[in-house]
Amino acid sequence: MQVLIVGDSHTGALKRGHDLMVQQGTAPEGIEWRIQPLGPGKRMNTPFWKDAGDHAVITDPQYGKMMPKLPPDDPRPDAIGLSMPMWNGRVMRMILQSGYVVHGLPGQGHVMSRALLRHMVLSDMKYIMALGTFLSGLGYPVFAIEPPTLFRHWGYVRPFGAETCLALQAEVRAIQRARVDEAGMPVIDLPEGCILEDGFMDPQHRSEDPTDTHHVNAEFGALMLQRAVPYLREIATRAASARAAG
Amino acid sequence: MSHPYNDQPDSAFWRRAIGDRQPQEIGDWYTKRFSLDGKRIATAGSCFAQHLGRQLRNAGFDYVDCELPPTGLPESDYLDWGYKMYSARYGNVYTSRQLVQLFDRATGVFDPVEDYWERDGGVVDPFRPTIEPEPFGSVEELRALRDDHLAATAEVFRTADVLVFTMGLTEAWLSKKDGACFPLCPGTAGGTYDPNQHFLQNLSSAEVRADMETFLAKVKRINPRLEVLLTVSPVSMMATATPQQISVATVYSKSVLRAVAGELHGAHDYIDYFPSYEMIVGPAARGVFFKEGMREVAPEGVAYVMKNFLSEHRPPASAAPVAAAQPADTSDIPLRMAPRMAPNAAPRPAPTAARPAPRRSAPGRSAPVDLSGVDFDDDDVKCDEELLNTFGNGAKD
């Protein structure tokens, strides 16, 4: 089974996680992973692709260098995982930097309505969701991989406070999750227990780079890939059944 | 024979100034009373003021904006969410009564009894019912946003050097409880119209003058240096609630406003009057500056008005020379015009692609959080490094 995982910088840990599984001999049998970034997520809230009929052309010049079209011709994937729809950092940073606080959430600042937050989150992810819907419409099983939530070391926690950051993160992620669910896109969730009682990600999952405060490490990347395996097996079984029936 | 007309310039004679000229050739409309150089300019008023504000910003004037949009809100959505319409998110201020009450609400002097309207399962602010496309989820949310907004509005009145105010209408919808003046008729964009609670007052020239004098006296107390540049909106009424035919009602309304603007200009040396109304509506224009339907101003009309404005008020030297010479052609951008009678007919800006908003500092009303030491670029740098370390050079920006 050919599985393409494509997305933002969180594909890095997934790729290193895959390499780790191969090295340790724990890679699931029968699944060929291709893990490929488009690039950093900062422009994924812009129209970075266009519909070319039977494929998407990646129009963002930098992303296009990494992957000019989706899906790629060779090999054709049996499933496509998107590591991009649920990254909350981009929206959170913009709101916090602007000095706004969402009504009803803890924090100081100028008050923003919940409707505006929802609009901003949906606007932020609309090109990604449109891509997912487009690929799904071409017949590819498309799923989302949930990125990590916040680490306590994230640079915005000190000035804005843990309570503010966690509450905003939860709100943004919930809006994103609802949108992904609405689109009928299965989600590979974070494993239970990776978030501590204080609401932050367990620091043992932090990136190998101690100065990086928002990516996870290879072990966690491998864990997320393993969590995708039951879903992928189900797809493979479904496809096999369909072939047998056909 | 000698008489006062002997020394009058060509611009004082109809045939020489108007009759023998094409609309675009007519000049001498306006001589400024005071300069805008180095001054902070705020705008408020009826929807035509949105054009003026946008053009002033584009021309590089020091424009007061006390409610900046959050970074990341696509520019194409600003007007839908009430940003960049005016110097704060008060929406259209159609009447003189609204203006004086906006000041009173912003400074805590007036707290209207009817402070929310229900709509579509939520609530809206009766004093800016279409400021967001969706109603607020609760009265508490509405009030929290309004408190923040009124603080920003007070800052506009306190800090501006010049207020450009476009007078729009005389028909005002008021509350019988406390005289609160709503921009829209209750029931059109929220709430329920109740003849026992609400009434129409078609303001007379004396009432408009009194409102404006009250406003000027109050605002001068907190901002003595404030100068005011008045205009009258050339946009005709969408509908009237009086028995008069709409054109008759419009001419009454605009005539009152134009007369009061002239009186105020004559009475106060800190008030200037810019005749955009005459340029567009007057017979000299022969109606060419209106869009089809003869209500809204065509882009050429806005450009003509702004050309005349900018020829007297030269944009700051720091502005781009092109911008200085010609007003930016943004006049075809739909204005956020909340209908006063037909909420479902509201023109909406066409959706366009989201663009990342430029990074800029937090709004200036307060600095609730100390951001010193925060490296805003750090996350992006780490994303690049993560990709570089894992996938090699091609993956990073």
Side-chain angles (χ1 to χ4, degrees), chain B residues 122-207:
Chain B
V123 291
V124 297
D125 187 339
F127 303 98
R128 45 176 195 157
T130 57
I131 202 68
E132 296 200 354
E134 299 172 37
F136 299 111
S138 66
V139 175
E140 291 71 31
E141 183 178 19
L142 181 158
R143 288 175 179 156
L145 268 97
R146 181 164 55 207
D147 288 349
D148 206 46
H149 155 65
L150 290 177
T153 303
E155 188 174 326
V156 172
F157 289 131
R158 269 198 307 270
T159 60
D161 297 313
V162 176
L163 173 67
V164 178
F165 181 65
T166 297
M167 306 168 88
L169 295 173
T170 54
E171 290 190 20
W173 288 98
L174 306 176
S175 164
K176 287 184 177 175
K177 290 176 188 158
D178 55 6
C181 180
F182 308 112
L184 306 178
C185 176
T188 59
T192 306
Y193 174 69
D194 178 354
N196 295 316
Q197 303 289 332
H198 308 120
F199 69 104
L200 172 74
Q201 185 165 351
N202 198 6
L203 299 169
S204 67
S205 58
E207 288 165 330

Side-chain angles (χ1 to χ4, degrees), chain B residues 41-220:
Chain B
I41 303 167
T43 59
S46 194
C47 51
F48 192 73
Q50 291 178 43
H51 283 309
L52 294 173
R54 187 181 302 129
Q55 298 280 355
L56 289 170
R57 267 197 303 264
N58 291 342
F61 286 96
D62 188 359
Y63 187 81
V64 176
D65 193 344
C66 289
E67 282 189 279
L68 292 169
T71 310
L73 179 67
E75 230 177 289
S76 55
D77 293 346
Y78 285 173
L79 293 182
D80 265 356
W81 293 86
Y83 292 103
K84 301 281 184 186
M85 290 171 76
Y86 299 109
S87 295
R89 294 172 78 206
Y90 25 71
N92 291 335
V93 178
Y94 295 104
T95 63
S96 55
R97 189 64 50 87
Q98 258 186 282
L99 178 65
V100 70
Q101 289 187 5
L102 176 65
F103 180 88
D104 285 346
R105 291 191 302 118
T107 52
V109 172
F110 183 39
D111 191 9
V113 175
E114 191 169 330
D115 82 331
Y116 68 89
W117 285 345
E118 293 180 353
R119 190 181 87 202
D120 301 336
V123 291
V124 297
D125 187 339
F127 303 98
R128 45 176 195 157
T130 57
I131 202 68
E132 296 200 354
E134 299 172 37
F136 299 111
S138 66
V139 175
E140 291 71 31
E141 183 178 19
L142 181 158
R143 288 175 179 156
L145 268 97
R146 181 164 55 207
D147 288 349
D148 206 46
H149 155 65
L150 290 177
T153 303
E155 188 174 326
V156 172
F157 289 131
R158 269 198 307 270
T159 60
D161 297 313
V162 176
L163 173 67
V164 178
F165 181 65
T166 297
M167 306 168 88
L169 295 173
T170 54
E171 290 190 20
W173 288 98
L174 306 176
S175 164
K176 287 184 177 175
K177 290 176 188 158
D178 55 6
C181 180
F182 308 112
L184 306 178
C185 176
T188 59
T192 306
Y193 174 69
D194 178 354
N196 295 316
Q197 303 289 332
H198 308 120
F199 69 104
L200 172 74
Q201 185 165 351
N202 198 6
L203 299 169
S204 67
S205 58
E207 288 165 330
V208 174
R209 175 79 189 265
D211 283 341
M212 293 303 293
E213 293 287 5
T214 302
F215 167 74
L216 293 167
K218 287 181 173 183
V219 76
K220 281 286 198 179

Side-chain angles (χ1 to χ4, degrees), chain A residues 32-74:
Chain A
E32 293 293 324
W33 306 87
R34 178 179 176 187
I35 301 171
Q36 174 76 53
L38 286 176
K42 60 187 171 190
R43 289 190 308 280
M44 286 181 182
N45 58 350
T46 65
F48 63 91
W49 68 278
K50 70 177 183 187
D51 178 344
D54 61 353
H55 66 278
V57 172
I58 306 302
T59 51
D60 179 279
Q62 196 63 37
Y63 295 170
K65 280 184 199 167
M66 295 304 296
M67 182 161 272
K69 61 185 289 195
L70 261 175
D73 289 328
D74 185 29

Side-chain angles (χ1 to χ4, degrees), chain A residues 16 40 42-43 62 66 93-94 97-98 100 103 108 110-111 113-114 119 127 154 156 158-160 211, chain B residues 68 71-72 77 132 141 148 354 363 365 368-369 371-372 376 379-380 382-383 386-387 390 394 396-397:
Chain A
R16 294 197 309 281
K42 60 187 171 190
R43 289 190 308 280
Q62 196 63 37
M66 295 304 296
R93 288 161 51 197
M94 291 190 285
Q97 284 175 25
S98 302
Y100 277 92
H103 173 71
Q108 294 179 304
H110 308 306
V111 188
S113 69
R114 283 180 171 271
H119 176 78
Y127 298 105
W154 189 45
Y156 287 69
R158 181 191 58 75
F160 291 96
T211 64
Chain B
L68 292 169
T71 310
D77 293 346
E132 296 200 354
E141 183 178 19
D148 206 46
R365 274 167 285 159
V369 174
L371 297 176
S372 58
F376 287 141
D379 278 5
D380 288 337
K382 290 301 171 195
C383 290
E386 173 79 347
L387 293 169
T390 308
K396 77 177 220 12
D397 262 359

Side-chain angles (χ1 to χ4, degrees), chain B residues 48 52 166 231-234 273-281 305:
Chain B
F48 192 73
L52 294 173
T166 297
T231 68
V232 172
S233 170
Y273 174 75
F274 177 69
S276 51
Y277 174 74
E278 288 82 342
M279 292 178 200
I280 301 295
V281 176
V305 165

Side-chain angles (χ1 to χ4, degrees), chain B residues 163-385:
Chain B
L163 173 67
V164 178
F165 181 65
T166 297
M167 306 168 88
L169 295 173
T170 54
E171 290 190 20
W173 288 98
L174 306 176
S175 164
K176 287 184 177 175
K177 290 176 188 158
D178 55 6
C181 180
F182 308 112
L184 306 178
C185 176
T188 59
T192 306
Y193 174 69
D194 178 354
N196 295 316
Q197 303 289 332
H198 308 120
F199 69 104
L200 172 74
Q201 185 165 351
N202 198 6
L203 299 169
S204 67
S205 58
E207 288 165 330
V208 174
R209 175 79 189 265
D211 283 341
M212 293 303 293
E213 293 287 5
T214 302
F215 167 74
L216 293 167
K218 287 181 173 183
V219 76
K220 281 286 198 179
R221 278 204 286 275
I222 66 166
N223 185 358
R225 71 178 179 283
L226 185 75
E227 296 169 306
V228 178
L229 198 159
L230 292 175
T231 68
V232 172
S233 170
V235 180
S236 292
M237 297 168 72
M238 185 177 280
T240 178
T242 70
Q244 294 177 318
Q245 190 251 32
I246 183 66
S247 185
V248 178
T250 295
V251 170
Y252 167 80
S253 199
K254 303 295 181 185
S255 301
V256 164
L257 299 174
R258 176 62 189 93
V260 173
E263 289 177 15
L264 291 166
H265 182 259
H268 303 287
D269 60 7
Y270 60 84
I271 290 183
D272 198 358
Y273 174 75
F274 177 69
S276 51
Y277 174 74
E278 288 82 342
M279 292 178 200
I280 301 295
V281 176
R286 297 159 173 84
V288 299
F289 292 138
F290 282 109
K291 288 183 180 175
E292 197 176 334
M294 296 297 289
R295 180 170 176 271
E296 291 178 45
V297 179
E300 298 76 22
V302 177
Y304 181 70
V305 165
M306 290 313 299
K307 189 178 105 184
N308 280 282
F309 185 89
L310 295 176
S311 69
E312 271 297 290
H313 293 288
R314 304 298 296 176
S318 57
V322 173
Q326 294 183 342
D329 184 17
T330 55
S331 47
D332 56 341
I333 296 173
L335 296 179
R336 189 77 158 85
M337 288 183 291
R340 291 174 60 83
M341 296 302 292
N344 293 331
R348 300 281 291 271
T352 56
R355 277 175 283 175
R359 174 170 300 159
R360 50 99 177 95
S361 58
R365 274 167 285 159
S366 60
V369 174
D370 176 14
L371 297 176
S372 58
V374 178
D375 181 356
F376 287 141
D377 293 328
D378 186 57
D379 278 5
D380 288 337
V381 170
K382 290 301 171 195
C383 290
D384 280 342
E385 289 178 1

